[in-house]
Amino acid sequence: MNTNTTLVIMAAGMGSRYGGIKQIEPVGPSGEIILDYSIYDAVEAGFDKVVFIIRKDIEADFKEIIGNRIGKQVEVDYVFQDINDIPEGFTVPEGRTKPWGTGQAVLTVKDLVHEPFLVINADDYYGVSAFSTIYEKLQTLAPEGEATMVGYQLQNTVSKNGTVSRGVCKVKDGRLDSIQETLKIQLYPDGHLTDLDTNTDLDPETVVSMNFWGFMPSIFPALRAYFEAFLRGLPDGAVKAECLLPVMVGEELKAGRMTVSVLNSKDKWFGMTYHEDRALVA
């Protein structure tokens, strides 16, 4: 029997590379935003609750553009990702203005989510089959030590308008063996792909994570421990360092505390990393 299953949407990003609040940029023929399509696909797949992770300063705009409307169709909750929401004993570095990244973002929902849940980015469109595939898998996850993700081919997730960050995955027998957060992947006009940080070429068919993760609530203690370790390891003046969800998953894999099944989607991913990406997405 299907259980309650929640869609968690990370929408607190600053949108610095995009040049605005890209999560609420209209792209559809009637002014729809990417989230309209993702939420529609998720509800059709069986998800029955949506939790938005946003910043307090975009709350009014966010609710006006999508939240209030979606709330008429499905149960909706909100949590706020805040730079000052850190464990006791830690301080925010001077000059820091942005939240702490996707790891902190997911940790903010710990008091609201007590069922299997899917985490997605607000500014990515993942495709119909991705939602239905992961929904079915979430019904079968063990309560402890098991997670899942939908993987995409790198060549289908890059932008012609600049570099992208992706979690580059090694997959063995349908399970995630390792994940490496790769921050500057460049697509060249001839189609080849390069990790600019290491100056190495990447196979276009490499599996990457697009932050389409399926978890059980038992993930939250590991997330908190990872966030605290991240804060302890901050260099002085770390004004831009991010606590990233794929890095936490990688640490749990290495320690043998988690297994992650890798599901495949036949759909093409679309996203808006840069303002110039909007036309293609539309």
Side-chain angles (χ1 to χ4, degrees):
M1 188 175 74
N2 289 344
T3 59
N4 292 341
T5 316
T6 292
L7 173 65
V8 173
I9 301 175
M10 298 185 291
M14 300 290 277
S16 56
R17 287 184 293 184
Y18 182 77
I21 303 176
K22 58 186 174 178
Q23 294 91 341
I24 53 179
E25 178 85 10
V27 293
S30 300
E32 298 91 350
I33 66 176
I34 281 184
L35 272 180
D36 282 303
Y37 297 95
S38 291
I39 293 169
Y40 180 88
D41 290 344
V43 172
E44 286 287 294
F47 290 86
D48 48 22
K49 184 169 83 171
V50 177
V51 177
F52 291 114
I53 303 169
I54 60 174
R55 300 193 318 274
K56 188 69 177 175
D57 62 291
I58 67 170
E59 179 183 12
D61 283 344
F62 197 92
K63 287 183 175 179
E64 179 183 349
I65 289 171
I66 186 167
N68 295 339
R69 177 163 45 82
I70 294 300
K72 296 173 184 176
Q73 315 295 328
V74 66
E75 182 184 347
V76 168
D77 261 315
Y78 296 88
V79 292
F80 300 108
Q81 187 177 8
D82 189 285
I83 186 175
N84 297 303
D85 184 15
I86 55 178
E88 191 174 345
F90 296 97
T91 56
V92 177
E94 186 177 349
R96 174 112 192 174
T97 59
K98 62 186 295 186
W100 296 97
T102 53
Q104 184 208 16
V106 177
L107 194 54
T108 64
V109 307
K110 67 184 185 303
D111 295 329
L112 279 178
V113 176
H114 309 287
E115 58 281 325
F117 66 101
L118 166 62
V119 177
I120 70 169
N121 294 329
D123 50 348
D124 291 327
Y125 174 71
Y126 296 94
V128 176
S129 75
F131 287 95
S132 57
T133 300
I134 206 165
Y135 176 81
E136 293 302 323
K137 186 64 180 177
L138 282 168
Q139 308 304 311
T140 69
L141 287 186
E144 304 270 348
E146 196 174 352
T148 189
M149 62 167 278
V150 170
Y152 290 79
Q153 288 191 355
L154 175 59
Q155 62 189 346
N156 294 332
T157 72
V158 287
S159 172
K160 295 178 181 178
N161 299 304
T163 61
V164 296
S165 301
R166 297 290 179 257
V168 175
C169 302
K170 289 184 179 176
V171 182
K172 187 175 182 181
D173 299 327
R175 293 190 178 274
L176 188 61
D177 191 52
S178 67
I179 182 166
Q180 177 67 46
E181 192 69 12
T182 307
L183 301 179
K184 289 185 179 178
I185 299 174
Q186 177 72 54
L187 170 66
Y188 290 97
D190 65 0
H192 87 269
L193 297 152
T194 301
D195 172 6
L196 296 183
D197 282 335
T198 60
N199 200 31
T200 55
D201 287 343
L202 298 168
D203 184 338
E205 295 185 359
T206 296
V207 174
V208 295
S209 160
M210 298 304 304
N211 276 336
F212 201 86
W213 297 99
F215 294 118
M216 299 297 282
S218 56
I219 194 69
F220 293 125
L223 257 178
R224 182 180 174 85
Y226 174 67
F227 187 35
E228 290 182 355
F230 165 83
L231 292 170
R232 276 195 297 273
L234 272 181
D236 291 340
V239 297
K240 291 187 176 180
E242 291 194 79
C243 175
L244 297 172
L245 188 59
V247 179
M248 185 280 297
V249 171
E251 293 292 320
E252 291 298 290
L253 286 174
K254 278 185 204 172
R257 292 188 292 263
M258 181 191 292
T259 60
V260 181
S261 53
V262 179
L263 313 174
N264 296 311
S265 172
K266 298 175 183 176
D267 292 320
K268 182 167 172 54
W269 165 93
F270 291 96
M272 295 203 299
T273 306
Y274 300 92
H275 206 280
E276 294 83 357
D277 294 332
R278 182 190 177 281
L280 176 63
V281 173

